[in-house]
Amino acid sequence: MSLQIYDTKIGKKIPFTPLRDNHVRIYACGITAYDFCHLGHARSALVFDMIVSYLRHSGYKVTFVRNFTDIDDKIINRAQKQNTTCAELSQRFIDEFYIDMKALKITPPDYEPRATEHIPEIIDIIEKLMTKGIAYQADGDVYFEVEKFPQYGSLSGRNLDDLKAGARISINKIKKNPMDFALWKASKPGEPKWDSPWGEGRPGWHIECSAMSRKYLGDSFDIHGGGEDLVFPHHENELAQSEGASGKPFANHWIHHAFVTIRDEKMSKSLHNFLTIREVLKRHQPEALRMMVFATHYRHPLDFSESGLRDAQTSVNRLYNCMAACAALTDGTESSKAVATRAEIDKLRSLPDRFQEAMDNDFNTAQGLGCLFDAVKSINRISQALPAPPAQADINLLRRGGADVTKLAQIMGLLSQEPQAYLAGYQEKHLTAVGMDKAELNKLLEERIAARQNKEWGRADEIRDLLLAKNIELKDSQDGTAWYVAGDRGQ
RNA sequence: GGCGGCGUAGCCAAGUGGCUAAGGCAGAGGUCUGCAAAACCUUUAUUCAGCGGUUCGACUCCGCUCGCCGCCUCCA
């Protein structure tokens, strides 16, 4: 079974084959830089990070482009409101975007082009459309003429009659058809402007992506994607412009991910129900966010909640605990009896295949994670049952299983840290949060060990309860007393 | 109004025309322990919104009903 990807244009899953050899070319729509990024942007970045990573894992060479739209109406309005320039405003939020991406540990794309740095390429496409008679000039604007592109609506499954019927489009007398959209806009006083054959002006909203994808990936490339809300009109218009100009097929596959919702409503700026990435990362670890995002299939809505994110954190810890146990494994002997059952051996050996099968099915990360946790369960069961000198066969199986789990989880950016370091970091962060320093904790732990040796159970329990009040739980063992962060429920 | 999606255990969430309906979280029981707890193990849907239909057989395909959501305007 090979990779199957759901294609928005066709509305079903189809086998994926790169257009050119083993080389996959992907373009994803990035942000319009005028504000901080919210969780929806995080999902978008995370989903494409995973897709690129999985394609590379599968042996493809990948060229990944994610653009910045740094000139448009929203930027102009916001800049005017803040009494600054568009260039300053967009640069500021591109910088902020990079801070968020770094915090989320997103692998940078191969190219991150900006609209304002591709004005000649934009003008070039518009000129082609003008030459072919698919675009027309009206006052200082240039419009794409939808009637001249018969396939208009093919991506989003609409036709011009439906669109006209729904028409919430503002009346614009200079357009031939209300659905015609601007390729180039004449500049108003005080707005950024560039020279063009049609006078001074600036690009329309969709044309930058047509120009930049063409420059870095060619007229035809493999995958184009973004959030569901971009299907219409953004991607529909891009498709029309690009194919209209080149006469060749544009993107071979269209991938769109669903929204992040809050209480089942779309998270969006206009509804004022969004959480910024940095807000969430103040309270939660990036891997917990990744776990939550990838536990839902990318085409299904992801309903955000604090409790959901805490659940995700707990399951991330489960992964790390298992890996820490694997790392602590000591060599065994040939003479001991192996404890792994046939079923467990099969489960662990088949993990990479089962994971691949899940991911090949339209990047089903939720199912892939299920495979990973399945393996974790087997690893834990075997580790727990290991006799005093364990059998070398079991140790080999566990180490191999642990290595597979780590490698596969890393495709989603999970298990990106050394287990011991991660767990120690998790504990330290908690200590800080509850306002206790390590020396103080150690002092109490030592006192309790002494009390227990003297069988002063009252004092020992008192210390335990005292720490429990700070969500620190103790575990006594022959080696001493270890402590853990208790479940954060109810916070 | 047009187009599209979703409804699976307490919560989150995969999945399939017929083999035990993944996995995570929470809950319950257990191993361990001076008592505990973390970790770990076991366990948790005779049932997949409701009603019809197709089929030897449907949760999975079709139709209808109810509920929720999205796009058609800027939006990841």
Side-chain angles (χ1 to χ4, degrees):
Chain A
M1 204 37 186
S2 63
L3 177 59
Q4 304 261 122
I5 301 180
Y6 182 91
D7 179 39
T8 307
K9 195 172 175 189
I10 299 173
K12 60 184 182 190
K13 286 181 218 172
I14 51 170
F16 175 76
T17 314
L19 292 168
R20 210 188 272 167
D21 306 322
N22 214 35
H23 184 184
V24 183
R25 289 164 291 164
I26 307 185
Y27 188 95
C29 283
I31 58 161
T32 297
Y34 72 102
D35 206 344
F36 290 103
C37 290
H38 58 62
L39 247 20
H41 301 104
R43 185 181 200 187
S44 187
L46 253 11
V47 164
F48 284 100
D49 191 50
M50 173 277 292
I51 287 175
V52 168
S53 167
Y54 183 65
L55 289 170
R56 289 191 172 132
H57 166 86
S58 302
Y60 293 111
K61 175 180 187 250
V62 178
T63 301
F64 177 41
V65 181
R66 183 182 54 214
N67 75 288
F68 289 110
T69 296
D70 60 350
I71 178 70
D72 94 322
D73 293 353
K74 290 189 297 295
I75 295 174
I76 292 170
N77 292 337
R78 185 67 60 95
Q80 282 170 352
K81 237 178 237 168
Q82 296 192 4
N83 208 14
T84 183
T85 63
C86 290
E88 187 283 324
L89 182 85
S90 57
Q91 183 60 52
R92 179 159 28 111
F93 285 107
I94 287 172
D95 290 342
E96 298 292 357
F97 172 84
Y98 280 130
I99 290 171
D100 290 334
M101 292 303 106
K102 199 172 169 198
L104 290 173
K105 298 184 187 173
I106 303 280
T107 304
D110 300 290
Y111 299 98
E112 298 181 275
R114 303 180 187 195
T116 56
E117 292 171 0
H118 295 78
I119 301 296
E121 289 86 348
I122 288 170
I123 290 174
D124 185 52
I125 292 200
I126 300 174
E127 282 190 310
K128 278 196 166 60
L129 290 166
M130 287 291 279
T131 306
K132 292 194 172 188
I134 306 175
Y136 60 92
Q137 195 174 352
D139 296 341
D141 299 345
V142 180
Y143 291 95
F144 183 93
E145 188 170 358
V146 292
E147 301 277 9
K148 295 277 176 68
F149 190 75
Q151 311 91 295
Y152 190 77
S154 63
L155 175 66
S156 56
R158 295 153 212 258
N159 58 53
L160 286 175
D161 292 337
D162 291 345
L163 287 166
K164 267 182 224 157
R168 279 201 262 169
I169 300 131
S170 60
I171 308 297
N172 180 337
K173 286 188 184 109
I174 62 176
K175 289 190 200 177
K176 293 186 186 174
N177 182 309
M179 295 313 300
D180 290 350
F181 54 92
L183 299 167
W184 189 261
K185 292 183 173 184
S187 59
K188 299 192 188 92
E191 288 182 1
K193 60 192 178 191
W194 289 265
D195 276 331
S196 84
W198 317 283
E200 288 185 328
R202 60 185 173 90
W205 173 35
H206 319 291
I207 193 71
E208 81 281 17
C209 287
S210 287
M212 293 187 281
S213 62
R214 177 168 178 247
K215 174 167 182 185
Y216 296 97
L217 301 175
D219 285 324
S220 303
F221 55 96
D222 298 291
I223 296 172
H224 192 142
E228 255 179 355
D229 46 359
L230 296 181
V231 176
F232 191 91
H234 186 56
H235 287 162
E236 190 71 69
N237 292 354
E238 270 186 57
L239 188 157
Q241 294 160 351
S242 290
E243 295 196 354
S246 73
K248 296 176 200 159
F250 186 43
N252 205 26
H253 283 75
W254 290 90
I255 295 182
H256 292 96
H257 64 262
F259 302 129
V260 176
T261 61
I262 286 192
R263 279 189 274 275
D264 292 326
E265 272 193 327
K266 179 182 175 182
M267 183 179 285
S268 74
K269 297 199 171 148
S270 44
L271 290 173
H272 297 293
N273 63 346
F274 63 90
L275 286 160
T276 61
I277 295 175
R278 57 195 58 192
E279 241 176 304
V280 170
L281 290 186
K282 256 187 230 162
R283 298 190 298 272
H284 301 279
Q285 300 197 357
E287 287 200 32
L289 184 58
R290 281 179 178 266
M291 179 62 81
M292 184 170 82
V293 166
F294 294 128
T296 302
H297 184 87
Y298 78 88
R299 282 191 288 111
H300 290 182
L302 171 62
D303 200 46
F304 175 85
S305 68
E306 288 290 325
S307 63
L309 204 35
R310 280 197 298 269
D311 289 355
Q313 177 67 260
T314 309
S315 61
V316 168
N317 291 355
R318 178 177 171 83
L319 240 34
Y320 272 112
N321 276 317
C322 177
M323 292 309 110
C326 283
L329 250 24
T330 52
D331 282 336
T333 64
E334 300 300 336
S335 52
S336 290
K337 192 172 182 300
V339 296
T341 65
R342 188 70 243 171
E344 285 163 345
I345 294 170
D346 289 345
K347 187 143 264 186
L348 288 175
R349 293 227 171 115
S350 65
L351 171 64
D353 287 343
R354 286 182 295 119
F355 183 86
Q356 184 185 328
E357 199 179 327
M359 293 293 280
D360 273 353
N361 182 16
D362 196 29
F363 308 106
N364 194 335
T365 52
Q367 195 174 33
L369 283 170
C371 298
L372 256 29
F373 280 107
D374 238 14
V376 164
K377 180 174 283 194
S378 294
I379 290 172
N380 285 336
R381 215 287 306 171
I382 297 165
S383 312
Q384 208 72 12
L386 250 26
Q392 190 58 39
D394 282 340
I395 298 298
N396 293 343
L397 181 72
L398 292 174
R399 284 182 176 155
R400 163 89 181 276
D404 283 342
V405 168
T406 302
K407 187 175 153 198
L408 299 173
Q410 284 176 352
I411 292 170
M412 300 179 215
L414 298 167
L415 290 177
S416 64
Q417 304 171 52
E418 285 298 318
Q420 294 297 354
Y422 167 85
L423 293 169
Y426 188 73
Q427 293 185 334
E428 268 170 37
K429 212 169 169 184
H430 180 73
L431 279 188
T432 312
V434 297
M436 176 174 265
D437 74 71
K438 196 121 187 212
E440 189 186 351
L441 175 66
N442 284 334
K443 203 178 144 214
L444 284 168
L445 290 181
E446 276 165 32
E447 189 188 338
R448 181 159 173 282
I449 288 166
R452 291 186 68 231
Q453 275 166 354
N454 298 327
K455 300 201 191 298
E456 294 164 12
W457 308 127
R459 179 56 184 158
D461 291 351
E462 197 182 341
I463 293 171
R464 190 176 61 208
D465 292 343
L466 189 97
L467 292 173
L468 192 57
K470 291 185 184 274
N471 257 345
I472 292 168
E473 285 178 345
L474 303 180
K475 175 196 175 186
D476 300 320
S477 72
Q478 286 163 337
D479 304 332
T481 297
W483 64 275
Y484 300 90
V485 178
D488 325 307
R489 290 176 302 286
Q491 277 183 13

